[in-house]
């Protein structure tokens, strides 16, 4: 049996601002924007991804039927951390987001000491190269280079 992750829900304060950030600034495809009588949901998908990102009103906040059914607490905007995107060319992804006006960290590599260090020309980036950014609410993202997975 395959178990796939298809959708990740993010807590945001302003659905329209989040839609603009993920759709326009990051260039993710906007799959839909629907209002089901008080439960507005927007779903976006990164190019090439099998997993989408959903956010909205009534999705992960105190009005969420899913959270009530599972007994989970509401998620606060900015509380989602450690989300990760994988690309085959980290410098190109960094340049693309920078060109779109997204505030991203410099490219960094994990060293043998387990710490992150600024990347230098000629560093091997596969599996150990990252850069980081946050959405307008502070939800934190990492972008990692793993070219073998995207071949």
């Amino acid at each position: 049996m395959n178990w796939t992750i298809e959708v990740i829900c993010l807590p945001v304060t302003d659905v329209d601002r989040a839609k603009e950030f993920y759709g326009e600034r990051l260039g993710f495809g906007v799959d839909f924007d629907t209002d089901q009588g008080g439960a507005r949901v927007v779903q976006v998908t990164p190019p090439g991804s099998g997993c989408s990102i959903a956010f909205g009103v009534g999705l992960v906040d105190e009005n969420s039927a899913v959270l009530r059914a599972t007994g989970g607490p509401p998620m606060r905007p900015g509380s989602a951390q450690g989300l990760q995107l994988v690309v085959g060319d980290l410098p190109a992804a960094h340049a693309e987001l920078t060109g779109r006006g997204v505030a991203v960290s410099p490219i960094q590599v994990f060293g043998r000491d387990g710490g992150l260090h600024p990347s230098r020309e000629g560093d091997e980036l596969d599996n150990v190269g990252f850069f980081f950014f946050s959405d307008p609410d502070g939800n934190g993202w990492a972008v990692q280079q793993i070219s073998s997975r995207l071949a």
Side-chain angles (χ1 to χ4, degrees):
M1 173 181 308
N2 290 334
W3 294 63
T4 62
I5 295 176
E6 299 288 333
V7 178
I8 294 172
C9 297
L10 286 183
V12 301
T13 53
D14 183 320
V15 177
D16 290 319
R17 180 179 70 176
K19 180 180 175 183
E20 188 277 330
F21 179 78
Y22 286 97
E24 300 298 320
R25 300 282 298 277
L26 295 184
F28 293 3
V30 177
D31 303 327
F32 60 82
D33 180 348
T34 185
D35 188 336
Q36 299 294 327
R40 180 178 175 200
V41 177
V42 175
Q43 182 171 300
V44 299
T45 304
S49 180
C51 183
S52 298
I53 300 154
F55 47 85
V57 176
L59 194 60
V60 293
D61 56 25
E62 62 279 351
N63 298 316
S64 170
V66 172
L67 291 181
R68 283 195 305 274
T70 61
M75 295 173 65
R76 290 182 326 279
S79 65
Q81 299 297 315
L83 302 162
Q84 193 160 320
L85 297 162
V86 173
V87 298
D89 185 338
L90 197 62
H94 190 273
E96 180 177 332
L97 292 189
T98 301
R100 290 174 169 270
V102 178
V104 298
S105 75
I107 294 176
Q108 301 170 53
V109 294
F110 271 103
R112 293 186 186 273
D113 64 357
L116 279 169
H117 305 284
S119 175
R120 295 186 309 258
E121 187 69 34
D123 276 346
E124 175 59 44
L125 297 176
D126 258 358
N127 307 308
V128 296
F130 290 83
F131 68 84
F132 306 91
F133 68 92
S134 295
D135 73 8
D137 285 296
N139 295 305
W141 290 88
V143 181
Q144 179 184 20
Q145 179 172 311
I146 306 179
S147 61
S148 63
R149 198 178 289 169
L150 301 172

